[in-house]
Amino acid sequence: MIKEEIEKLREQLNHHNHLYYLESNPEISDFDFDQLLKKLQELEEKHPEFADPNSPTKRVGGDITKSFNTVKHDIPMQSLGNSYSEEEIQEFINRIYKELESDQVEFVCELKYDGVAIAIKYDGGKFLQALTRGNGIQGDDVSNNVKTIKSIPLKLRGVYPEKLEVRGEIMFSNAQFEKLNEEMIANGDQPYANPRNTASGTLKLQDSSIVAQRGLDCFIYSNVNSKGTSHYEAVTGLNEFGFLTPSVKNNRFKICSSKKDIMDFIHYWGEHRFDLPFAIDGIVIKVNSLEQQRLIGSTAKAPKWAISFKYQAEQVETTLNEIVLQVGRTGAVTPVAQLEPVLLAGTVVKRASLFNEDYIQKLDLRIGDTVQVEKGGEIIPKVTAVNMEARSSDSVPYTYPELCPECNTPLERKEGEANHYCVNEVSCPPQVIGRMQHFISRKVMDIQGVGDETIVSLFEAELIKAFIDLYGLTYDDLIGLEGMADVSVKKLLQGVEDSKNKPFQTVLFALGIRHVGEVVAKTLARNFKNMDALMNASEEELIGVNEIGKVIVQSILEYFSNPHHQALISRMKELGFHLEISEEEASQSSQKLQGMSIVISGVFVDHSRDELKKLIELNGGKNSGSISKKTAFIVAGDKMGPSKFEKAEKLGVKIISEQDLVKLLNE
Ligand code: IVH
């Protein structure tokens, strides 16, 4: 009965996932989807006997891979020969005609996705394993991470073969990449520059739940063991199994019988590639017939029946009018090139990031220079070179400003860091405004009735200089300001008042301490339990917390040693903010596991893995992903892997049950 219910839920979730991610045609709301998922999660937790490594609940991640196993590919993952011109395409076609002794050849043209290659195996229609390309002969097993990618089926649809291996490309859509960077900036971290490298780094993250949050995509371009007659058929068939494959309908996959057809395809995407919602770096031309592919064969490195045509990164020349320094919420300074507006890859470019002082020096950029601007794999254009011949004889080397352009405070650059910082966090306007905007934002204190614009106007009206001033605003201060009628004033005041009820971990995140994002704030809150303990924590105590590295520790120590921040925290106490964990959490907390490194493994009955992790942290312990001599004990549920058992035995590490853990904590 329960088993059937679980299976039905899995089927429903797979079906709705497919409609959402492959058909872009959802039938139920996100809310209803989440309800179904939650129900399945609960049932699976209660009934570990019906666990399934390919359940849709695995999409949210949570499995940790300490080190990735290297696995040999059944069939090597080759690369592709490149071409850059019409002549080279002609040579490729001539070679094929010659090999086949015929010019009756069909080609398929498709997009060359700019991501990371992946090989995914299925057995009996179920996801079995995903490997990176590695050196082509062997790659890394990144299955836990790949399973979180929603456009990859965990269970195949339709009539599928017993064994299947597909290959494709994992990548970020432009929208997801921008979203990720917005979050990086909101957390006070440097944004990523390049979607391809970030996709590659994401696949190698140890914590699959972070991979799940990043929203990677996957396009499949080949079926390794196709039994059909053509590549075209093979790929279209894959779509029926539930993979995201290129479509003929929008000209992303096309049968071409002549050089003209191929060149038309190349030119079309040369013009339209920046309209795509993701990055491509060229197109791929393949012989369509699988029989002809076999006849033509491969070299050691690449098939001879396929070639890629690479687009040059689009480049234009323009004048560098000025370099302005932008100051972010954390005081990090970014130099930005102000360019003479120029058309590049379909958009007018006026600005380009120059990253830091070293970048400017390496290029020897000078105001007035004629510079090359390029749009390649990156979404944001880059200045890549100076046209030295066009340089005017009276140009002078650029000297990096010594003062903050916003508040005239001397800029600082720490040893080993590339960025300059403005350290005047108390009154440098973009820092003050940025921090307040972070504070009120939806993911942080979520203050109703206050938006980014409100913060700017209140700051300009000199009503607020720091987020704490929001808590002193009165009806009379606000009424009559632009856009502030009775209803909106009341809403704002209520929103501010309500925000005092946010939990400690959110308040900690809201302070905007550099490198203390949502996850770090949660870890700190659970470990130190209240603000006083955190403020008084020594360097050793902070370093002792799992997943808190040196850079974060320095930033925390620096933050709390500042008298302004100490005064701020006192004021927050007076106002009644939650500066300690909730009573419920406190009742579960102790120092019983102080300093112990604990591994949890297997499937549990009374608690979810997250609950167990939280319990361990609340009681002073550290969660660790792998067993070592230092492991205090292992909390094992059902289905703990045999290799873990062996390792525990060898090292003499004690294994206890979840009930034992609870008993231990209640003693
Ligand atoms: S076919 C035997 N088709 O490009 C090689 N590859 O430069 C089969 N790539 O490692 C590759 N889009 O990761 C093929 N439509 C596409 C592709 C594609 C991107 C990547 C692939 C490969 C690299 C080779």
Side-chain angles (χ1 to χ4, degrees), residues 323-327 333-336 398 400-401 403-406 411:
I323 295 176
V324 297
L325 300 192
Q326 244 174 28
V327 186
V333 173
T334 313
V336 178
Y398 179 75
Y400 204 84
L403 301 180
C404 171
E406 304 278 350
L411 295 176

Side-chain angles (χ1 to χ4, degrees), residues 223-468:
N223 175 349
V224 175
N225 14 53
S226 171
K227 298 271 180 296
T229 56
S230 71
H231 172 64
Y232 183 89
E233 226 180 279
V235 170
T236 338
L238 288 176
N239 185 254
E240 276 154 34
F241 299 154
F243 294 100
L244 198 57
T245 54
S247 159
V248 184
K249 271 187 245 146
N250 44 20
N251 199 33
R252 294 184 190 174
F253 192 66
K254 191 169 185 209
I255 294 192
C256 295
S257 305
S258 65
K259 187 182 96 177
K260 179 177 178 305
D261 285 356
I262 295 174
M263 289 318 296
D264 283 351
F265 191 87
I266 290 176
H267 291 141
Y268 179 83
W269 286 111
E271 239 172 72
H272 293 96
R273 67 184 170 124
F274 291 105
D275 303 337
L276 286 165
F278 49 80
I280 62 168
D281 61 343
I283 67 143
V284 184
I285 306 134
K286 300 173 179 171
V287 168
N288 189 24
S289 147
L290 299 183
E291 177 56 26
Q292 288 182 334
Q293 287 186 3
R294 275 188 282 273
L295 284 171
I296 299 165
S298 300
T299 67
K301 272 204 203 139
K304 289 196 278 180
W305 44 263
I307 195 164
S308 77
F309 178 93
K310 287 266 193 114
Y311 292 115
Q312 302 290 345
E314 292 226 5
Q315 281 195 338
V316 278
E317 277 196 356
T318 187
T319 312
L320 173 65
N321 288 333
E322 212 186 326
I323 295 176
V324 297
L325 300 192
Q326 244 174 28
V327 186
R329 147 168 93 78
T330 58
V333 173
T334 313
V336 178
Q338 305 290 308
L339 305 163
E340 193 56 37
V342 61
L343 195 64
L344 172 65
T347 46
V348 178
V349 176
K350 298 181 203 140
R351 293 146 49 87
S353 171
L354 298 172
F355 309 105
N356 52 48
E357 183 183 17
D358 294 346
Y359 191 81
I360 298 173
Q361 277 185 351
K362 202 175 77 196
L363 296 176
D364 181 22
L365 274 185
R366 302 179 183 193
I367 308 296
D369 270 348
T370 303
V371 293
Q372 288 278 345
V373 182
E374 182 177 303
K375 206 165 170 185
E378 292 79 13
I379 293 161
I380 305 154
K382 278 200 301 198
V383 173
T384 51
V386 175
N387 179 347
M388 290 297 175
E389 279 167 24
R391 175 171 277 175
S392 117
S393 57
D394 55 7
S395 83
V396 288
Y398 179 75
T399 43
Y400 204 84
E402 286 173 5
L403 301 180
C404 171
E406 304 278 350
C407 69
N408 284 326
T409 304
L411 295 176
E412 288 184 10
R413 182 176 169 179
K414 281 195 191 146
E415 223 180 282
E417 283 198 25
N419 279 87
H420 284 77
Y421 281 90
C422 167
V423 291
N424 172 19
E425 55 179 78
V426 184
S427 59
C428 179
Q431 293 189 59
V432 174
I433 292 176
R435 264 200 318 274
M436 291 196 280
Q437 289 172 335
H438 165 76
F439 185 87
I440 57 120
S441 65
R442 210 164 51 84
K443 272 195 81 178
V444 191
M445 296 297 269
D446 191 20
I447 302 189
Q448 302 300 306
V450 186
D452 283 356
E453 292 305 314
T454 327
I455 293 291
V456 176
S457 12
L458 294 178
F459 178 79
E460 283 173 354
E462 295 186 13
L463 285 166
I464 54 171
K465 288 201 190 71
F467 69 74
I468 199 75

